[in-house]
């Protein structure tokens, strides 16, 4: 005889463990973010003052979880020598103005003249002494192609303009305009944006990880919550079944609950796969290994339940295609279960 109370307890315990393991995985992602912070903050003071490198003077729109992106962007900017060779002595062409308007950015060419060398000299020294790309650019360009004062004035002006950008789309569009002699059509723009993406690849990667974390945290949290609700409701009816208190209607509901659990199991498996691809290295990672173990245990519990109920709903190994697209029957059961759960609240 099956011990239904033990089995239902195991299901509840395993789902709870999976939720906890997911939280641990997101903690790992936060550690990745902190490692980025240490990388771009290494050797720099965090106090205010003009002697800080420009990438440590975090603009208001880049505060918080975008700070590492600013650090990366400001240190990668010197790799494009047009940062220093193309100035503010021009007006936007019709196509360039259209690009800026469409992207929601405004370039203030008048701000260039407001850059005060006497107020930026300490920041320039601090930046130059701690950024090889900046040092290399200055060595290559000054004084052969640009005067030292203009070199720094253009750099700080463009950093100031970029400080108003809320995302990489605006950064790329602004630099496409600022660091190109002229952009006349979409083909020229696409080519230049492609070049800039290569130069700013590290900045774009950091932003991409942050956006992925933010987008998927909500999705994963909601998925685990829904799966746990279905599991708890299934546990309730399994307990009724063990005491002989279920009718045919209850049995139909139990089957629907089981289909829902299988569907959510597939989705969670797919999500875990996504998480592991976002980590730099999962070898020996206790968080990821623990999460995989919990996932495997949940699979075993579902198989045990399936074998007891006349082989109904046999679990198949999840695949990315199945999990991403979703099983239509499982989705229908899931929607019904969510409605049921809300009705019980």
């Amino acid at each position: 005889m099956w011990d239904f109370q033990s089995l239902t307890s195991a299901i509840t315990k395993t789902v709870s463990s999976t939720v906890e393991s997911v939280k641990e995985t997101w903690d790992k992602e936060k550690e990745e973010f902190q490692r980025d912070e240490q990388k771009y903050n290494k050797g720099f003071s965090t106090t205010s003052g003009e002697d800080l490198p420009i990438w440590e003077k975090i603009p208001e729109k880049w505060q918080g979880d975008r700070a590492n992106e600013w650090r990366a962007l400001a240190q990668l900017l010197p790799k494009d020598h047009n940062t220093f060779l193309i100035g503010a002595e021009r007006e936007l062409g019709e196509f360039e103005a259209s690009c800026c308007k469409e992207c929601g950015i405004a370039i203030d060419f008048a701000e260039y003249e407001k850059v005060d060398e006497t107020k930026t000299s300490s920041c320039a020294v601090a930046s130059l002494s701690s950024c090889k790309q900046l040092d290399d650019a200055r060595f290559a360009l000054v004084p052969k192609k640009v005067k030292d004062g203009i070199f720094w004035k253009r750099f700080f002006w463009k950093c100031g303009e970029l400080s108003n950008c809320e995302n990489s789309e605006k950064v790329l569009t602004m630099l496409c305009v600022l660091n190109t002699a002229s952009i006349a059509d979409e083909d020229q723009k696409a080519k230049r944006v492609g070049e800039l993406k290569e130069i700013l690849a590290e900045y774009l990667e950091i932003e991409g990880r942050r956006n992925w974390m933010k987008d998927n945290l909500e999705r994963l949290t909601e998925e685990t919550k829904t799966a746990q609700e279905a599991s708890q409701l299934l546990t309730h009816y399994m307990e009724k079944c063990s005491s002989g208190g279920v009718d045919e209607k209850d049995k139909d509901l139990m089957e629907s609950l089981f289909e829902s659990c299988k569907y959510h199991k597939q989705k969670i498996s797919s999500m875990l796969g996504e998480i592991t691809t976002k980590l730099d290295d999962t070898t020996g990672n206790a968080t990821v290994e623990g999460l995989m173990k919990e996932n495997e245990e949940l699979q075993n519990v579902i198989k045990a339940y399936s074998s007891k109920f006349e082989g109904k709903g046999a679990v198949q190994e999840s695949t990315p295609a199945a999990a991403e697209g979703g099983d239509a029957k499982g989705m229908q059961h899931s929607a019904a279960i969510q409605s049921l759960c809300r009705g019980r609240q």
Side-chain angles (χ1 to χ4, degrees), residues 237-252:
Y237 281 98
M238 287 176 67
E239 289 173 347
K240 284 184 66 176
C241 183
S242 65
S243 62
V246 296
D247 53 24
E248 288 302 316
K249 186 176 180 181
D250 289 336
K251 290 178 181 179
D252 290 340

Side-chain angles (χ1 to χ4, degrees), residues 226-239:
T226 305
Q228 192 170 35
E229 287 175 345
S231 176
Q232 289 174 346
L233 197 54
L234 178 59
T235 298
H236 168 74
Y237 281 98
M238 287 176 67
E239 289 173 347

Side-chain angles (χ1 to χ4, degrees), residues 29-46:
E29 286 290 326
K30 289 180 181 179
E31 290 175 12
E32 293 277 336
F33 177 83
Q34 290 171 350
R35 281 205 295 271
D36 285 335
E37 187 171 36
Q38 290 174 356
K39 176 179 178 181
Y40 290 102
N41 196 36
K42 186 177 181 181
F44 303 137
S45 168
T46 56

Side-chain angles (χ1 to χ4, degrees), residues 33-295:
F33 177 83
Q34 290 171 350
R35 281 205 295 271
D36 285 335
E37 187 171 36
Q38 290 174 356
K39 176 179 178 181
Y40 290 102
N41 196 36
K42 186 177 181 181
F44 303 137
S45 168
T46 56
T47 58
S48 60
E50 295 300 328
D51 58 342
L52 291 175
I54 187 64
W55 43 87
E56 279 306 303
K57 300 166 77 68
I58 312 296
E60 183 178 352
K61 290 185 178 180
W62 296 73
Q63 296 283 341
D65 58 1
R66 292 190 72 211
N68 291 335
E69 293 160 43
W70 174 257
R71 292 184 178 107
L73 175 62
Q75 291 181 73
L76 292 169
L77 193 57
K79 292 178 69 175
D80 183 6
H81 286 187
N82 280 352
T83 298
F84 313 100
L85 296 177
I86 297 177
E89 304 83 10
R90 69 183 186 92
E91 294 182 356
L92 293 181
E94 183 178 347
F95 180 78
E96 294 167 326
S98 175
C99 289
C100 291
K101 182 178 181 180
E102 183 179 341
C103 194
I105 59 175
I107 299 175
D108 192 345
F109 289 95
E111 285 296 312
Y112 174 76
E113 295 300 332
K114 298 179 183 179
V115 178
D116 189 341
E117 292 181 51
T118 62
K119 294 182 179 180
T120 58
S121 58
S122 295
C123 180
V125 171
S127 300
L128 187 65
S129 64
S130 52
C131 180
K132 186 178 185 302
Q133 293 95 319
L134 186 58
D135 188 38
D136 289 345
R138 186 167 179 262
F139 180 80
L141 301 177
V142 177
K144 291 180 286 186
K145 295 186 177 182
V146 64
K147 294 181 179 179
D148 195 47
I150 294 177
F151 176 95
W152 288 110
K153 196 167 184 177
R154 287 173 177 173
F155 179 59
F156 286 124
W157 170 60
K158 290 181 181 180
C159 284
E161 294 302 303
L162 290 169
S163 70
N164 297 314
C165 296
E166 294 95 347
N167 54 54
S168 59
E169 180 185 3
K170 293 187 177 184
V171 166
L172 290 169
T173 300
M174 181 171 285
L175 282 178
C176 187
V177 173
L178 290 178
N179 283 10
T180 311
S182 68
I183 297 291
D185 55 43
E186 287 291 347
D187 289 341
Q188 287 185 350
K189 178 185 176 184
K191 181 181 178 181
R192 188 68 178 111
V193 167
E195 294 170 350
L196 290 168
K197 283 183 176 180
E198 290 186 15
I199 293 171
L200 304 178
E202 197 166 354
Y203 151 65
L204 295 172
E205 181 181 345
I206 295 173
E207 185 199 51
R209 181 159 57 242
R210 177 178 61 83
N211 287 337
W212 189 90
M213 287 173 60
K214 184 175 75 171
D215 294 343
N216 285 273
L217 179 59
E218 181 178 352
R219 179 168 67 103
L220 187 55
T221 300
E222 181 61 28
E223 180 58 35
T224 52
K225 177 184 176 183
T226 305
Q228 192 170 35
E229 287 175 345
S231 176
Q232 289 174 346
L233 197 54
L234 178 59
T235 298
H236 168 74
Y237 281 98
M238 287 176 67
E239 289 173 347
K240 284 184 66 176
C241 183
S242 65
S243 62
V246 296
D247 53 24
E248 288 302 316
K249 186 176 180 181
D250 289 336
K251 290 178 181 179
D252 290 340
L253 180 55
M254 288 176 66
E255 185 178 349
S256 291
L257 283 164
F258 183 58
E259 291 293 336
S260 178
C261 286
K262 286 197 302 176
Y263 166 70
H264 289 297
K265 170 66 177 63
Q266 284 190 325
K267 287 194 69 175
I268 289 175
S269 295
S270 179
M271 289 176 176
L272 296 179
E274 289 184 75
I275 291 172
T276 57
T277 61
K278 292 297 177 180
L279 298 179
D280 292 336
D281 182 16
T282 60
T283 305
N285 187 303
T287 301
V288 176
E289 290 177 354
L291 194 56
M292 291 179 175
K293 181 179 178 181
E294 293 295 340
N295 195 45

